[in-house]
Amino acid sequence: MLRIHFGIEDLNRVRVAARPDPLWELVHALHLLQNRQAALVFDPWRREVRQAIVRENLTSTVAALSRLCPWAAYFPDFLTPGRGTTELRSGIDQVLSTPRHRLAAELGQVFTADRPVPAVARLLAEGDVPTLLRLGEALRRFHDVAVAPYLGEIRTAVAADRPARAEAALEGGADGLLASYQPELTWREDGRLLEAEYPVDRELVLAGRSLTLIPSFFCVRRPVALADPELPPVLVHPLTPQPGWLVRSRTAGDGATAGLPVAQLIGHTRAAVLDALERPLTTTELGAALRLSLSTASRHATVLREAGLVHSRRRGSAVVHHRTPLGDALLDGDSTGFPRPLPAARATRPAEGARTTP
């Protein structure tokens, strides 16, 4: 059983991550490939991802990642450093910046006396830079085949979960929010205690620290917390997608934007551009990320900018693009982020120079 103890002020510090965390999704996806949990929901995804792993020559890479991050009562905390981190690159940077003493200690808990330590784990524990860089590349490539193609469904599920949490918080405050996570979590208001089924007995005392609740598409059955009680507290909870989600997402189109309703509105390529501009990218970087020519990337960014979905600014000789809040709202399917429409008589072209989003 996992028990999270709240002080009086801790309830005011609870936060809910607005978007899925790429590394938590990556780790849970890796675990799903090591087990048969939720077979009805995830077996079609397993088959598709395993085919992609073979096609991309990632079999040995995924096997190595599975040894480092086994589906077990313990897996290393350093692989999931985020508290709702939205960018894969920044999350991987955090992984690669893990202090050496933590690498050694956490890997030492994975590879105990009855499990031989592979050479790559020994090098990681020593903080070997080339090995760390190889780990970062392995994480990125696994994300590309196991998580990125399904981001549309993942984001849709997170966006659907968020209003229910907001309504619970508005009606019942922090107590109402925590109570809304039943049956995965049990909130005992009288004792300020949050409980969850867990493979080991854990007591987590917040002691004035903020607890971040992170929704996860690939998390199954029960919530997950970091093993080290000294790290910033997070609790990752399952979103429990319905059987058939993969088939439904494929009916909307192909690729990473297949499950995004926005792809039906602006087209799959522009939806992919909008998705990529979660972080600032130059036109050249955008083209390289999506394998588009410079002129094509520039043209799509211009159209999105004129629609108010992207903001562009000059930096030296380059133009940097970034998604605007309106673009975030469109991508997440959140109508509350959109401005009210103009009356019909005034619905004219946007003023020249109006702010736009990628």
Side-chain angles (χ1 to χ4, degrees), residues 259-279:
L260 291 172
V262 68
Q264 301 175 43
L265 179 65
I266 63 176
H268 294 290
T269 301
R270 284 179 190 153
V273 170
L274 194 60
D275 185 46
L277 289 175
E278 186 167 40
R279 58 187 175 86

Side-chain angles (χ1 to χ4, degrees), residues 84-349:
T85 301
T86 59
E87 295 181 11
L88 178 65
R89 179 182 293 183
S90 62
I92 290 177
D93 286 346
Q94 290 181 60
V95 171
L96 303 189
S97 301
T98 306
R100 187 182 302 178
H101 71 273
R102 271 194 60 198
L103 292 171
E106 293 181 15
L107 289 169
Q109 293 186 64
V110 174
F111 299 100
T112 53
D114 57 342
R115 287 193 68 199
V117 183
V120 66
R122 283 197 298 272
L123 290 169
L124 284 175
E126 295 167 2
D128 180 70
V129 173
T131 306
L132 282 167
L133 293 175
R134 284 169 49 209
L135 172 63
E137 180 65 9
L139 294 172
R140 184 193 64 77
R141 294 188 68 194
F142 179 69
H143 185 276
D144 283 349
V145 299
V147 179
Y150 313 97
L151 281 174
E153 279 294 313
I154 293 170
R155 288 191 176 120
T156 298
V158 172
D161 181 72
R162 193 165 176 79
R165 308 308 174 192
E167 183 177 355
L170 286 171
E171 290 185 358
D175 289 316
L177 170 65
L178 294 173
S180 74
Y181 287 96
Q182 297 191 74
E184 288 87 3
L185 300 172
T186 301
W187 171 240
R188 305 194 184 282
E189 185 177 344
D190 53 348
R192 294 196 294 275
L193 181 66
L194 190 65
E195 295 180 331
E197 180 188 347
Y198 219 65
V200 295
D201 280 332
R202 286 276 316 280
E203 305 286 337
L204 176 58
V205 180
L206 295 179
R209 297 175 298 167
S210 167
L211 174 69
T212 302
L213 294 158
I214 302 175
S216 173
F217 189 83
F218 291 120
C219 182
V220 172
R221 293 187 181 172
R222 59 176 174 247
V224 179
L226 294 170
D228 187 346
E230 300 302 316
L231 292 172
V234 302
L235 188 63
V236 183
H237 66 89
L239 287 172
T240 317
Q242 295 301 306
W245 67 268
L246 184 58
V247 173
R248 289 192 297 273
S249 73
R250 288 297 175 257
T251 63
D254 298 320
T257 59
L260 291 172
V262 68
Q264 301 175 43
L265 179 65
I266 63 176
H268 294 290
T269 301
R270 284 179 190 153
V273 170
L274 194 60
D275 185 46
L277 289 175
E278 186 167 40
R279 58 187 175 86
L281 294 174
T282 66
T283 307
T284 301
E285 291 170 335
L286 180 62
L290 298 177
R291 296 185 177 140
L292 301 173
S293 68
L294 192 61
S295 61
T296 300
S298 177
R299 184 171 68 253
H300 286 308
T302 297
V303 171
L304 293 170
R305 182 173 65 251
E306 291 175 350
L309 303 174
V310 169
H311 174 66
S312 302
R313 69 182 186 280
R314 185 161 290 281
R315 187 176 67 192
S317 61
V319 177
V320 180
H321 312 283
H322 192 268
R323 200 164 69 216
T324 64
L326 180 59
D328 288 340
L330 179 62
L331 199 62
D332 291 339
D334 180 5
S335 62
T336 61
F338 289 85
R340 294 183 180 277
L342 293 172
R346 297 177 54 202
T348 57
R349 286 175 51 191

